[in-house]
């Protein structure tokens, strides 16, 4: 097992480098960082342009790409990040804040969503075909087919706009991480501001995972080893927990690990509607300006997230399912 | 054979309500199994063999309706509370299933699966239970049992897995062992080994064994008595030798004809197919496929009657007895 | 209006604005964002190091003989947030920064300055120009503090995270992608703000900002006007003011002879323009759009005011168009299109795809024009392609877009004179995208730029516009409403007083915080991405509204009715001398 994990880890490093290099080249070719710089800085002096080229390693030719990439990578890991093309702002502090905001929102929502989704899935799988099953299946279908911006707007209307019309004060905030003008850290306020955006994401995640868990658990419940387990005379709880749930969770855990990256990347719309300053906004701004120094860290981050969670999925799968441990 | 009766069924019935109507899978079965004997239960696919025994163990899906009586060592199982059933399962009655790969949990270690069985009924430390499990694996002929106990089902061959199932089944010295087609999925040489193990268990532990199969050859080799089933009812039963030599029920006769054996060049399958159990034929269910059927067969449900050494549920058993297979 | 469009407008605006907003910022751009004002000692004594009162190297640098001189008398009370006096050094630094900072957005006007020197004292500023420059009131807005920057000739690296300079009511307390906070400047010499804090927060679109307003999370929003906006925001606690600003839309016909388009033929252009029924377009497109509040614009590329005499009214004359064409050898061909020498021109009409209003206009007008014998075809592309490529390259025959008219007509010179048609001579940087070249009109406009007398200048502009109307290069359509919405349970005071102003809602230091939460919250439809007031950061209206006007001192401010008036930075109207 240890060797398996080590070998995967050893793989992950070159994979990260290769993928980020490909991303780097794609951005270099696809967005032409120098052209974007010149478009944004119409009257930049020759000296400034040269400086921009050098700090960003925008050398030409394949050799130049490799050199530029290595230079970028070195700067990246030593936190010596080139400044944004617009306003020459430091990229790391803004990226860091956005990243924490997104991670906080995304991970909370994923975690809650999966937890609730699995519970619903179990709840209906234990009594399939009944009213309970139909209710949950229908509502998860509705939830899946409701685009997040619709549910977001509905929630905003209900808990903020109409609530304040009816009761004189809104129940939940619709925008930001804190109320406008707030300074410092405040857990309660932060949670309050996360409730609606988290709910929007949770609705989707719950729907997906409820269906997924239902299918997976039903399959396990109908398997023959469940009959064997029951024939042993062990308690029904033990049969469900040790034999059914554990096995039903295996495919889900691995999918969930991969999903987290997708959910984080998919927060863009939710973040926009809730004016939530996360990586979604960060990327849209960077992309609009063709801001190479801002886009690269974003790309790198998501490459890392995807690779890390894929690795985690592989490892978890191997840990949980002995049949996969091929070494 | 005057051993006490350990498993007894009286007018045992199982019905599954479905969208299309009630499936009457088992329609009144009587059976006595005594300690130390092997009873073969034979019948075509769908005749209700598995449902009978899963039913008495309470292992059928929730909708199944069970009636009649099923006692193990005098304990009534039909309608028994869950707690009673739990104590019977694995302790008094243990089961071995047809496909040992899917019957074992793929994600639990072999040793652990046996330990779980032991600890369900005996208060024993995990370590001690593991030692016992290794012993059991050794008993059923698994080499290097200590190492094998740490492995997972997919690392075992089919025969080895069935040995594991058997080891698990005998872990608590059950009074009755129900083997539901234990050899069907295995190749012939392995089949023989498994049957040997079963016979050994029967002789060494004095356990009663119910051997469910549609292979009369298997029954002939190991069983003491045979019970033939058709459409949820018993059609004929008695000592193995008698049934083989003078089967009196056309269905048993048909089964025997379809059996490959020395000196017969042609297998004759029973023509027709098993009946729809939602609306089974009136009277004798076999009459629609029976070459000897008479009008009376559709009017009267034949009961088991003594015919020679056998009991047969055929109205014309006496006449047909001489015909032979 | 799409966001892109408004950005483009904003840019047009911005150029003029920046003239007004050029100026200073704080020095040490790396300083921590959270504690800006802490070093500012209370009102009285300036901190020991205010830097020199006069810069050694002076400022400006234009060649030539002095043609105009302006003398400013800075108020003796005028000080920066740190108590240091505002002096000639700050004027010098601001001008040098605008002229020399790489990436400076516009140097127009400043490039005519020969020198800036101290007069009787460092509180008197004497600026000499190498030419008479009439729009001088657009200069010396958004001054920066000389001692706040390391190098007045390059402030491109300054103000990256915070601008702590202030010579107005407010000081920037923090700036981030999710909020901007202002607190009063304790050293401001004018009336102190009535509010303790002003916070601006960004929103992605109208839906989100309206939800925030209705939910009481923000107190005020200044959204793009659209039909139905009042209904969308109807609430017992929300009130609004609809006003008219400088945004106007028009048709533009590509007249550049060098490009050889169909409209480079003035006869054909005139006939085409005379065939467009602007009243019908107004009825069809703009009345439903404006909740009945808009007006058909007849001023030309300008909004009503002292420079407008309705020269573009009544251009619709279909019979006149037919007569004109026939008199000049045009006939209708087999397909019913006007043709000359066997050639019936195709007219490529460009708009940005996805803009419903403009698409509707095309759908309405193209059939009418075709019936009138003009083969007009839609030739649209997305906003980036339209505004960043096709328009600057003059690659269209007919266009339709919104512009913003600043209070001073100087922008007409850069947009409509011959010299400003993109060419080798101006390294393709010219901004005359209609390609219209009328020597007489150009001369008038150029003269207006060097005519300081207001009445005379207005007359020159009007004369030039009359020529433009006669040349049919531009057909004005509509002056757009502006809208401000605010919560009456949160805000009071003159909230609606300045919504028509070029500076928009910048009078918020006079607003009253009636809910007592100690702050006013503004919802921003666009968010400034950075703070530097002379570089590319300064190319949007929202940027200057939010991050320049509240803190950087101006000599002249605009009023709600479009006038330029002096601020308390100076003691009296600056003295302009033509030499
Ligand atoms: N859950 C169920 N619902 C409805 N009908 C069922 C159910 N389980 C079994 N049956 C029906 O009961 C009848 C008896 O099935 P059973 O499994 O006992 O047959 P069998 O004799 O064991 O056959 P095989 O040799 O194939 O195992 C069949 O007709 C089957 O279709
Ligand atoms: Mg069966």
């Amino acid at each position: 097992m240890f060797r398996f994990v080590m070998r995967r880890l050893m793989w992950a490093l070159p994979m990260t480098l290769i993928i980020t290099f490909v991303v780097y080249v794609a951005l270099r070719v696809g967005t032409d960082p120098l052209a974007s710089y010149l478009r944004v800085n119409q009257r930049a002096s020759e000296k400034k342009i040269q400086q921009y080229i050098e700090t960003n390693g925008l050398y030409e030719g394949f050799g130049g790409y490799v050199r530029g990439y290595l230079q970028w990578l070195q700067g990246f890991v030593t936190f010596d990040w080139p400044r944004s093309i617009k306003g020459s702002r430091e990229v790391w502090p803004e990226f860091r804040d956005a990243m924490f905001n997104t991670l906080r929102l995304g991970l909370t929502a994923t975690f809650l969503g999966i937890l609730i989704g699995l519970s619903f899935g179990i709840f209906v799988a234990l009594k399939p075909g009944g009213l309970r099953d139909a209710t949950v299946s229908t509502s998860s279908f509705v939830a899946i087919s409701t685009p997040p911006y619709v549910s977001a707007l509905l929630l905003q209307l209900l808990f903020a706009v109409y609530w304040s019309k009816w009761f004189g004060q809104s129940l939940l905030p619709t925008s930001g991480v804190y109320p406008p003008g707030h300074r410092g850290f405040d857990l309660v306020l932060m949670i309050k501001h996360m409730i609606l955006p988290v709910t929007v994401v949770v609705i989707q995640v719950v729907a997906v995972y409820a269906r997924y868990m239902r299918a997976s658990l039903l399959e396990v419940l109908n398997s023959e080893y469940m009959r064997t387990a029951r024939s042993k005379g062990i308690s029904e709880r033990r049969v469900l927990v040790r034999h059914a749930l554990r096995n039903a969770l295996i495919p889900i855990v691995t999918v969930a690990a991969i999903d987290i990256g997708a959910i984080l990347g998919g927060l863009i719309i939710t973040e926009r509607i809730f004016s939530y300053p996360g990586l979604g906004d960060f990327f849209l701004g960077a992309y609009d300006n063709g801001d190479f120094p801002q886009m690269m860290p974003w790309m790198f981050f998501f490459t890392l997230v995807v690779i890390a969670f894929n690795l985690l999925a592989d490892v978890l799968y191997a840990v949980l399912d002995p049949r996969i441990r091929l070494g | 054979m005057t051993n006490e009766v350990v498993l007894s069924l009286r007018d045992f019935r199982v019905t599954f309500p479905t969208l299309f109507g009630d499936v009457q899978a088992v329609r009144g079965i009587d059976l006595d199994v005594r300690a130390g004997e092997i009873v073969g239960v034979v019948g075509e696919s769908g005749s209700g063999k598995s449902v009978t025994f899963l039913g008495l163990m309470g292992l059928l899906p929730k909708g199944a309706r069970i009636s009649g009586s099923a006692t193990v060592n005098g304990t009534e199982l039909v309608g028994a509370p869950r707690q009673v059933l739990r104590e019977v399962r694995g302790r008094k009655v243990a089961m071995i299933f047809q496909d040992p790969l899917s019957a074992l949990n793929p994600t639990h270690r072999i040793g652990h699966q046996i330990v779980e069985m032991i600890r369900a009924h005996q208060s024993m430390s995990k370590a001690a239970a593991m030692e016992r499990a290794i012993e059991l694996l050794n008993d059923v002929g698994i080499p290097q049992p200590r190492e094998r106990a740490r492995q997972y089902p997919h690392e075992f061959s089919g025969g080895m897995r069935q040995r594991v199932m058997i080891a698990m089944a005998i872990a608590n010295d059950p009074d009755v062992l129900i083997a539901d087609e234990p050899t069907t999925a295995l190749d012939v040489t392995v089949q023989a080994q498994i049957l040997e193990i079963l016979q050994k268990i029967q002789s060494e532990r004095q356990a009663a064994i119910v051997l469910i199969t549609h292979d009369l050859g298997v029954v002939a080799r190991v069983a003491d008595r045979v019970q033939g089933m058709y459409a949820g009812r018993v059609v004929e039963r008695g000592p193995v030798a008698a049934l083989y030599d003078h089967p009196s029920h056309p269905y048993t006769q048909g089964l025997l004809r379809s059996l490959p054996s020395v000196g017969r060049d042609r297998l004759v399958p029973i023509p027709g197919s098993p009946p729809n159990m939602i609306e089974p034929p009136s009277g004798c269910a076999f009459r629609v496929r029976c070459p000897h059927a008479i009008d009376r067969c559709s009017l009267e449900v034949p009961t088991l009657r003594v015919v020679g050494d056998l009991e047969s549920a055929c109205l014309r058993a006496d006449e047909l007895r001489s015909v032979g297979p | 209006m799409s966001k892109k469009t408004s950005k483009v407008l904003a840019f047009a605006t911005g150029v003029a604005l920046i003239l007004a907003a050029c100026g200073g910022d704080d020095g040490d751009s790396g300083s921590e964002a959270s504690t800006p004002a802490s070093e500012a000692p209370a009102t009285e004594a300036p901190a020991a190091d205010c830097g020199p009162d006069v810069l050694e190297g002076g400022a400006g640098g234009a060649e030539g003989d002095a043609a105009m001189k302006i003398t400013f008398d800075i108020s003796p009370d005028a000080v920066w947030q740190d108590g240091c006096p505002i002096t000639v050094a700050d004027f010098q630094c601001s001008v040098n920064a605008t002229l020399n900072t790489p990436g400076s957005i516009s140097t127009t006007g400043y490039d005519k300055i020969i020198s800036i020197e101290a007069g009787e004292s460092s509180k008197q500023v004497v600026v000499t120009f190498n030419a008479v420059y009439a729009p001088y009131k657009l200069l010396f807005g958004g001054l920066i503090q000389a001692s706040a920057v390391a190098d007045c000739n390059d402030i491109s690296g300054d103000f990256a995270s915070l601008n702590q300079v202030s010579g107005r009511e407010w000081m920037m307390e923090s700036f981030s992608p999710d909020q901007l906070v202002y607190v009063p400047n304790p050293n401001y010499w004018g009336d102190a703000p009535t509010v303790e804090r002003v916070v601006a927060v960004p929103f992605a679109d109208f839906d989100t900002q309206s939800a925030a307003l209705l939910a009481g999370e923000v107190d005020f929003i200044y959204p793009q006007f659209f039909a139905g906006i009042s209904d969308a925001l109807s609430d017992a606690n929300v009130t609004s003011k609809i006003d008219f600003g400088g945004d106007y839309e028009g048709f533009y016909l590509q007249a550049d002879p060098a490009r050889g388009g169909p409209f480079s033929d003035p006869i054909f252009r005139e006939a085409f323009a005379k065939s467009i029924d602007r009243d019908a377009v107004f009825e069809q497109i703009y009345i439903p759009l404006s909740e009945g509040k808009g007006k058909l614009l007849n001023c030309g590329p300008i909004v009503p005011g002292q420079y407008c005499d309705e020269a573009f009214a009544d251009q619709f004359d279909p019979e006149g168009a037919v007569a004109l064409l026939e008199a000049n050898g045009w006939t209708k061909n087999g397909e019913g299109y006007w043709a000359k020498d066997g050639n019936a021109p195709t007219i490529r009409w460009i708009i940005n795809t996805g803009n419903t209003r403009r698409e509707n206009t095309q759908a309405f007008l193209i059939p009418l024009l075709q019936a009138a014998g003009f083969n007009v075809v839609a030739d649209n592309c997305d906003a980036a392609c339209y505004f960043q490529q096709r328009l600057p390259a003059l690659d269209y025959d007919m266009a339709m877009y919104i512009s913003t008219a600043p209070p001073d007509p100087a922008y007409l010179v850069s947009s409509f004179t011959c010299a400003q048609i993109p060419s080798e001579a101006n390294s393709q940087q010219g901004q005359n995208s209609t390609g219209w070249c009328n020597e007489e009109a150009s001369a008038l406009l150029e003269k207006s730029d060097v005519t300081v007398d207001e009445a005379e200048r207005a007359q020159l502009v009007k004369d030039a516009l009359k020529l433009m109307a006669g040349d049919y290069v531009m057909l004005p359509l509509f002056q757009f409403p502006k809208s401000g919405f605010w919560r009456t349970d949160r805000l009071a005071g003159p909230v609606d007083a300045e919504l028509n102003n070029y500076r928009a809602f910048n009078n918020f230091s006079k607003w009253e915080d009636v809910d007592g939460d100690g702050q006013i919250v503004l919802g921003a439809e666009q968010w400034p991405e950075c703070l530097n007031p002379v570089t590319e950061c300064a190319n949007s209206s929202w940027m200057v509204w939010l991050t320049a006007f509240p803190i950087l001192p101006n000599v002249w401010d605009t009023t709600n009715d479009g006038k330029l008036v002096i601020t308390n930075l100076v003691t009296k109207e600056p003295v302009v001398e033509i030499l």
Side-chain angles (χ1 to χ4, degrees), chain B residues 49-51 98 180-181 212:
Chain B
K49 307 181 297 287
S50 301
V51 166
Q98 172 177 335
D180 190 349
E181 308 195 21
I212 302 173

Short mmCIF file of all heavy atoms in Angstrom, two decimals, chain B residues 49-51 98 180-181 212, ligand 2:
data_model
loop_
_atom_site.label_atom_id
_atom_site.label_comp_id
_atom_site.label_asym_id
_atom_site.label_seq_id
_atom_site.Cartn_x
_atom_site.Cartn_y
_atom_site.Cartn_z
N LYS B 49 -37.23 -24.60 -4.34
CA LYS B 49 -36.26 -25.19 -3.39
C LYS B 49 -35.61 -24.10 -2.54
O LYS B 49 -35.64 -24.15 -1.30
CB LYS B 49 -35.17 -25.94 -4.17
CG LYS B 49 -35.72 -26.97 -5.16
CD LYS B 49 -34.63 -27.72 -5.89
CE LYS B 49 -33.72 -26.86 -6.77
NZ LYS B 49 -34.36 -26.39 -8.01
N SER B 50 -35.02 -23.12 -3.23
CA SER B 50 -34.32 -22.06 -2.48
C SER B 50 -35.29 -21.29 -1.62
O SER B 50 -35.00 -20.99 -0.45
CB SER B 50 -33.63 -21.11 -3.44
OG SER B 50 -32.71 -21.79 -4.24
N VAL B 51 -36.43 -20.95 -2.19
CA VAL B 51 -37.38 -20.12 -1.46
C VAL B 51 -37.80 -20.79 -0.16
O VAL B 51 -37.94 -20.16 0.88
CB VAL B 51 -38.60 -19.79 -2.36
CG1 VAL B 51 -39.74 -19.23 -1.52
CG2 VAL B 51 -38.20 -18.83 -3.45
N GLN B 98 -24.81 -21.04 -3.69
CA GLN B 98 -24.35 -21.57 -4.96
C GLN B 98 -23.06 -20.92 -5.47
O GLN B 98 -22.09 -21.58 -5.76
CB GLN B 98 -25.46 -21.38 -6.00
CG GLN B 98 -25.02 -21.73 -7.39
CD GLN B 98 -26.19 -21.60 -8.36
OE1 GLN B 98 -27.34 -21.70 -7.96
NE2 GLN B 98 -25.88 -21.41 -9.62
N ASP B 180 -27.23 -24.86 -0.68
CA ASP B 180 -28.08 -24.57 -1.85
C ASP B 180 -27.22 -24.61 -3.09
O ASP B 180 -26.51 -23.67 -3.41
CB ASP B 180 -28.73 -23.19 -1.67
CG ASP B 180 -29.81 -22.94 -2.71
OD1 ASP B 180 -29.90 -23.73 -3.68
OD2 ASP B 180 -30.54 -21.94 -2.57
N GLU B 181 -27.31 -25.73 -3.77
CA GLU B 181 -26.51 -25.95 -4.98
C GLU B 181 -25.06 -25.59 -4.78
O GLU B 181 -24.50 -24.75 -5.47
CB GLU B 181 -27.11 -25.13 -6.14
CG GLU B 181 -28.60 -25.41 -6.27
CD GLU B 181 -29.17 -24.95 -7.58
OE1 GLU B 181 -28.37 -24.78 -8.53
OE2 GLU B 181 -30.39 -24.77 -7.66
N ILE B 212 -29.52 -29.00 -1.58
CA ILE B 212 -30.44 -28.57 -2.64
C ILE B 212 -29.72 -28.66 -3.97
O ILE B 212 -28.59 -28.17 -4.10
CB ILE B 212 -30.89 -27.12 -2.39
CG1 ILE B 212 -31.56 -27.01 -1.02
CG2 ILE B 212 -31.81 -26.65 -3.51
CD1 ILE B 212 -31.88 -25.59 -0.63
MG1 LIG D 2 -32.50 -22.05 -5.99
#
